[in-house]
Amino acid sequence: MRASLDCDLVVIGGGMAGMTAAARAAGAGARVVVVEKAAEIGGSAALSGGYLWTSTSLAQMRRHDDGDPDLHAVVIEEYPAVLEWLRQRGIEMGPPQPVLFGRGCQIDMQGHLRGAVRDVEAAGGHVVRNTETLAILREGAGVAGVVTSHADGEAELRARKVLIATGGFQGDAEMRARHIHPAARDMGLRSNPVSNGAGLALGIAAGGAMAGPNSGFYGHLVAHPVALKTDSDFVNYTQYHSIHGVLLNREGRRFVDESHDDHASSQVALRQTGATTLLVWDARVQRDFATAAPVAGAAPLDRFELAVKAGARGGRFDRLEDIARFADSLGFDGSACVATLASFNHQVARAPEALEPPREGHYRPVDKPPFYVLEVASAITFTFAGLWTDARARALDPFGAPIEGLYVAGADVGNVYRRGYSGGLALAATFAFRAMRTAGF
Ligand SMILES: Cc1cc2nc3c(=O)[nH]c(=O)nc-3n(C[C@H](O)[C@H](O)[C@H](O)COP(=O)(O)OP(=O)(O)OC[C@H]3O[C@@H](n4cnc5c(N)ncnc54)[C@H](O)[C@@H]3O)c2cc1C
C-alpha cells in the first residue's frame, strides 16, 4: 500500500528554481511538497557565489546570446519582481554591482533556502529529501501528482500542479555526449552531481517534449588536469581572465574571440581537437586580472600558482619563443603557437580589425614577460537543452500544446540560452516566478 498525501503543488528538485517557486506558492497560502533527491536541498545554488544577476535589457541579452527571444523576455521581465520579493522577505543582499556585462546583487543563498523551507512548512507543506520521483501522474488533459520512492517506501503525492526543477542533465556523461558533443562525455563537472536529466525524462514520460536541438551549455575554462571536488575547486581553477589572454588549439591557432566571455570560449574550446587548449597571458594580465577577484567582493587568488600546485600543466617563460618546446611537450604545435602569438601582437598593434578570428575587446598585445601558459579544458555547470516550455513556464507536448498543470523552471527549461549566458540563478528564479504566476500562486 502506497502512502498518499494531497497538496496544491509538487515541486521536483529543491535548488534555486524549486525553492523559490515553493516559497512563493507557500506565501500565497498553497500547500507545497518539495521532493529533493539529494540528502540536502540547494543543488548548484548552494555551491554558487550567489550573484543574482542578468542583462540590463533584452537588447543586451540578445547581443550576448541567440536563445529563444520569448524565454529571454521572461528573465528580463521577472527579474525586478524576484529582487523585490527577496528584499521583502528580508534576505540579505549586497549592493547592485556590475557582473560580467550585466548587473546584479549577491544574495545570502543559505538564508534564502532556509527561509523557503520555513515558508513551505508554515503553510502546511513539506520538504522531503533523499527521495526519487518515479513518475508524474496524468489525469485527462492535466497532471494529478507524482509517485515518489524513499527508503521508507513509495508514496503518491496528489496535486493538480507539478513543477519540474531538477537542474539540467550535466551530471550524465552519456547525455552530455549525445546532446552537446562526443568530447563532452569526459568533461569536468562544475555543478552539483545530482542533476542527471531526470526532469527531462519525467517530463517526456508525462507527455512533454524536448525543445529543438541545443548543444549549448554554461561552463568555464578550468586548469587541466585538476580534480574538481569542492565548490572552492570550482572557483579556484576557473580561468576567468581568459578574456584578456590568447587561446590556442593543438594546431597552434586561435579559434575564438577570447574577449567575448570565458564561458562562451569554453563552448568552442570543447570542440577543438583533443578538447584541451592553451591559455597564454603575460605579466600585465597576471597582475591585473589572473590574480584579481572575478567579481567585486570575491577573494583575490593566484590562479596560475594554485592550478600548477594542483597538478595542472603550466609554465612561466621569459621569452615567447620559449613557449614552443613546452607546447610541443603537451602535444600542441609549438612553432605554430609562437607564430600565432607573434602575429597576434603585430596585428593588435597595427590592424586589430584584421584579426582572425576577430576580437571585439581587450586589444592589448601579450608582450610583457614573464609569459604564462596553462593547459585548460571546459567544465560544465548546466545544460541549455531541456524541456520545451513556453513563456508562461508551461511544459508543452510534441505539438506545442501546454500540458495542464505541468510547469518547468531553471536549467530544465530548454533553449533559454544557446551560445551565451545571462545568469543561472536569475534564469532559475525568474522562471520559478513565471510558473507560479501562471499557476495562480
Ligand atoms: C561553483 C558555482 C558557482 C555559481 N555561481 C553562480 C552565480 O554567482 N550566479 C549565477 O547566476 N549562477 C551561478 N551558478 C549557477 C547556478 O547555481 C545554477 O544555474 C542554478 O542553481 C540553477 O538552478 P536550478 O534550480 O535549475 O538547479 P539547482 O540549483 O542545481 O537545483 C536542482 C535541484 O534538483 C535536485 N534534483 C536533481 N535531480 C532530482 C530528481 N530526480 N528528483 C528530485 N530532485 C532532483 C538537485 O539535487 C538540486 O537540489 C554557479 C554554479 C556553481 C556550481
Side-chain angles (χ1 to χ4, degrees):
M1 244 307 260
R2 273 183 192 154
S4 161
L5 186 144
D6 286 338
C7 59
D8 299 310
L9 169 72
V10 173
V11 173
I12 310 172
M16 185 61 175
M19 295 314 295
T20 301
R24 175 163 164 163
R31 189 174 188 218
V32 183
V33 179
V34 178
V35 183
E36 168 58 54
K37 183 176 168 185
E40 290 299 333
I41 61 157
S44 292
L47 307 174
S48 80
Y51 291 90
L52 183 59
W53 76 279
T54 194
S55 291
T56 53
S57 66
L58 193 54
Q60 187 187 53
M61 192 178 284
R62 298 216 51 77
R63 271 200 300 282
H64 287 264
D65 180 52
D66 57 348
D68 184 319
D70 294 339
L71 303 184
H72 276 176
V74 173
V75 180
I76 296 292
E77 287 163 12
E78 295 286 4
Y79 180 76
V82 169
L83 272 191
E84 185 50 33
W85 174 77
L86 288 169
R87 246 182 231 117
Q88 280 179 7
R89 289 173 68 237
I91 305 304
E92 273 187 49
M93 220 178 275
Q97 58 172 277
V99 182
L100 296 180
F101 45 85
R103 225 171 146 67
C105 305
Q106 190 177 26
I107 67 160
D108 171 9
M109 184 56 71
Q110 290 303 331
H112 172 45
L113 295 169
R114 274 195 309 272
V117 174
R118 267 199 310 273
D119 292 351
V120 167
E121 290 175 347
H126 304 277
V127 178
V128 293
R129 297 158 177 88
N130 290 313
T131 305
E132 285 267 11
T133 301
L134 302 178
I136 295 171
L137 299 168
R138 287 289 309 252
E139 216 170 78
V143 296
V146 303
V147 180
T148 63
S149 168
H150 179 267
D152 295 342
E154 288 187 9
E156 203 166 288
L157 308 176
R158 299 202 61 81
R160 306 303 308 206
K161 288 164 184 170
V162 172
L163 175 73
I164 299 175
T166 67
F169 60 80
Q170 62 277 6
D172 186 292
E174 287 312 313
M175 289 183 79
R176 292 198 305 264
R178 192 168 347 124
H179 296 293
I180 299 175
H181 187 272
R185 181 180 280 107
D186 301 320
M187 267 177 123
L189 192 59
R190 196 181 171 278
S191 138
N192 86 70
V194 181
S195 296
N196 64 2
L200 187 57
L202 286 165
I204 290 173
M210 193 169 182
N214 185 335
S215 60
F217 64 92
Y218 170 66
H220 276 287
L221 291 171
V222 297
H224 181 79
V226 292
L228 294 173
K229 289 192 200 122
T230 65
D231 41 341
S232 56
D233 292 344
F234 298 158
V235 176
N236 293 352
Y237 303 138
T238 297
Q239 306 301 310
Y240 301 97
H241 59 280
S242 72
I243 54 173
H244 301 280
V246 174
L247 283 165
L248 301 169
N249 61 16
R250 254 154 233 267
E251 293 76 37
R253 289 199 209 99
R254 288 182 60 238
F255 54 88
V256 71
D257 177 352
E258 302 88 342
S259 73
H260 201 219
D261 283 309
D262 180 70
H263 54 82
S265 297
S266 81
Q267 292 214 39
V268 189
L270 173 76
R271 292 162 167 90
Q272 302 304 303
T273 313
T276 69
T277 57
L278 293 182
L279 173 61
V280 183
W281 69 96
D282 68 359
R284 177 187 66 84
V285 173
Q286 173 70 3
R287 185 196 61 217
D288 295 346
F289 304 104
T291 51
V295 283
L301 306 161
D302 184 338
R303 290 198 162 70
F304 180 80
E305 284 295 333
L306 277 171
V308 170
K309 263 195 201 134
R313 295 191 275 259
R316 194 175 4 221
F317 303 93
D318 290 332
R319 299 179 318 148
L320 270 183
E321 309 81 79
D322 299 340
I323 290 172
R325 195 184 294 178
F326 178 68
D328 281 338
S329 76
L330 300 182
F332 289 72
D333 181 335
S335 47
C337 288
V338 171
T340 299
L341 289 165
S343 135
F344 175 83
N345 285 345
H346 181 82
Q347 279 185 306
V348 161
R350 284 165 189 80
E353 65 286 352
L355 279 169
E356 195 45 51
R359 180 126 162 165
E360 278 181 17
H362 310 306
Y363 299 122
R364 298 282 292 269
V366 178
D367 62 356
K368 305 273 180 298
F371 303 103
Y372 296 78
V373 184
L374 189 65
E375 190 174 7
V376 292
S378 310
I380 187 166
T381 297
F382 70 90
T383 42
F384 292 168
L387 285 165
W388 195 14
T389 306
D390 70 7
R392 297 180 66 194
R394 300 178 298 184
L396 302 178
D397 73 11
F399 304 100
I403 299 167
E404 225 171 87
L406 188 58
Y407 308 96
V408 192
D412 284 342
V413 180
N415 287 359
V416 182
Y417 302 136
R418 192 173 289 278
R419 273 186 306 180
Y421 155 86
S422 279
L425 295 173
L427 161 64
T430 56
F431 269 86
F433 251 55
R434 182 58 58 92
M436 294 303 96
R437 231 184 256 289
T438 306
F441 298 127

